Amino acid sequence: MIYAGSSLKVNLLQDGIAEVVFDAQGSVNKFDRQTVAELAEATKALKAKAEVKGVVVRSAKSTFIVGADITEFTSLFDMPDAEVLTWVAHTSQVFDHFEDLPFPTIAAVNGFALGGGCEMTLACDLRVADTTASIGLPEVKLGLMPGFGGTVRLPRLIGADNALEWMTTGRDRKAAKALAEGAVDAVVAPDKLVDAAISMLKDAIAGKFDWQARRAQKQAPLKLNKNESMMSFSTAKAMVFAQAGKHYPAPHMMVDTIAKAAGLDRDGALKLENQGFAILAKSDAAKAQVGIFLADQLVKSKGKKQAKAATKTIKQTAVLGAGIMGGGIAYQSAVKGTPVIMKDINQAALDLGLKEAAKILGKGMERGKVDAKTMASTLNSIVPTLEYSAIKDVDLVIEAVVENPKVKGIVLAETEQHVGDDTVICSNTSTISINQLAKSLKNPARFCGMHFFNPVHKMPLVEIIRGEDTSEDTISTVVAATLAMGKTPIVVNDCPGFLVNRVLFPYFAGFSKLVMDGADFVAVDKVMEKVFGWPMGPAYLLDVVGMDTADHASSVMADGIPQRMQKIENDPVTLLYKANRLGQKNGKGFYNFSVDKRGRPAKAAAPEAYELFTPHCAEKREFDADEIIARVMVPMANEAIRCLEEGIVASAAEADMALLYGLGFPPFRGGIFRYIETLGLDKFVAMADKYAHLGAVYQITDGVRAMADAGKSYFSADVKSA
């Protein structure tokens, strides 16, 4: 043994070949600070061992190295700028020193080699992958760029254009594609990987491969003349701006860094990479996107733990209420392998539900993501019925009838009479209290909310709502069923609107008050989309939701939380609803919807909407972007804080993920609590106080004021929901 650490070891094999074996104590290999330090020590030990002629780098696990340890990033990035730069420069030099070993090196890649794992392979002279390998540099998804030499070595290995596509999209490559693009030198079967690596290394030692030339290529300037360089990087800049826009600095920094480093050697190029990485590490976007990653890990871990506690396996599901929503839920269950019975009282609704499932599958086939076998098996797994008798043996019932408490109560009571005693019953309600609906059941312990978002097949979130009588076994079972359907479950406690809709409707209220105070809804949408980053502004979103749905839901919210969510007199939403301007569903709302000359959907601000609003609104005037953002976001933020304080949601991280997955909250802002903390709690309090005169939705709680005064964070371990 040449070296032994807790994460890696170095063994001397036959014929002067050594192997560096990554084998961390956890389930996967990661480049945490400890592993980087051990790689540095291992490199010194290899260099000092005279009999070593070449090195194989491999993993003892089912995957190579998944990247850096992101859990360390929060504390690292909180360091002063100079210290962040020193850290990344020191770490990248560890990879340089490995690359500079006086003999050939080869990476034997299995499973994932991502981020720092990919950069480890790039520091080697040769790379062989097995057929399970996925190789890539996904740092852009964290608001970062490669920091261990990736922006230097990959462009010199596969060309600047290919490398920029790898890095700015963050998409990894399967082994065959990596081979075609020149990122690996060979692909073999998994059981041949180590033997192939040793064989190739022996050839390099024997001079059959010019490994010195390959190494020199990675350390030299890019082979681009002035015109080629200008064309390549100007095209890349345009493509990145078109895809990423202005809110995500990382892909822009990558292009600029590689362009500036094109004429430099390795050391010069690495200095630019180090500087770019350090700048991004201190950016709000990186803090937000790293926060999303960590919150997502928390949500997934919590979901798996809850699902593991389930004592009931869901072998068959029933959906009550077909149509678009019911059809979407039925599709999701069936496509993930759980047969489903779709019941309705109306044959036309059943036909619509089946049509919805077929439409989703048809689009998948058009895109090459679904084959005929999958389409057939999915549709065959959805059994339509008009009879309650068909659901007697199901394990899980998801009620998805009209959003009316009386109708839902009747359906739930009938359902309980036709299913087994241990069948779990859920309601796909978006606003109605689960405790209220539970009164219709004899055994409310087996009942909870299961709120899907539309369109079901695209939206990842399912809110699971715990009622006051819901058993933990019911929650565990529904969490497991949600995961089996390929969705992300977040468990919340019951209240009107639950979490997502409860925080959404104050946002809509802020928007309505803005319009009534003279704001142009088109201008508000433009600010909230282009400046704040929402995929849709509030007017456009309301058109998509539907004015009938929004007006009904706002009435439910007003009944449930009258002190803050009372209906606004002459609310633009209500005015549109009464005028039968329902939004996208009937082609007219805030906007008029049509099709352009090329057959693509188009929308234009509706003169009819302005005419409806004018008698009830102040004279039209311009509002600056900061005021527009404050007036719609403060109500949302305040309600999210109340949900955390009241124990509706368990943590700020879960609230952030719920809004990200359920509403499309801008990822570069990291979620509602990350947004509040990026502003600074003291500044948020001042902003809210500025508009407190506008009504209760703008007035902050004593809790947030105390948090601001104490300088606390909603992401601290000691800050939990009530």
Side-chain angles (χ1 to χ4, degrees), residues 22 37 41 55 92 102 107 175 202 246 275 305 329 348 356-357 383 399 458 500 511 531 546 548 555 581 635 681:
F22 284 87
E41 291 299 316
V55 174
S92 64
K202 286 180 177 178
K246 64 182 181 180
Q275 291 165 7
K305 187 176 179 181
I329 297 170
E356 177 67 11
V383 178
E399 169 273 304
K458 288 184 177 179
V500 174
F511 163 68
V531 180
D548 50 346
S555 297
R581 298 188 62 84
L681 274 178

Side-chain angles (χ1 to χ4, degrees), residues 503 632-642 672-673 675-676 684:
V503 302
V632 296
M633 291 308 300
V634 167
M636 174 179 273
N638 273 340
E639 207 60 39
I641 290 168
R642 289 179 187 275
I672 189 65
F673 281 97
Y675 163 66
I676 294 166
F684 172 74

Side-chain angles (χ1 to χ4, degrees), residues 5-28:
S6 61
S7 297
L8 61 89
K9 59 186 177 182
V10 183
N11 302 313
L12 186 62
L13 308 178
Q14 295 178 339
D15 303 320
I17 291 174
E19 61 170 5
V20 176
V21 183
F22 284 87
D23 191 11
Q25 292 176 358
S27 59
V28 294

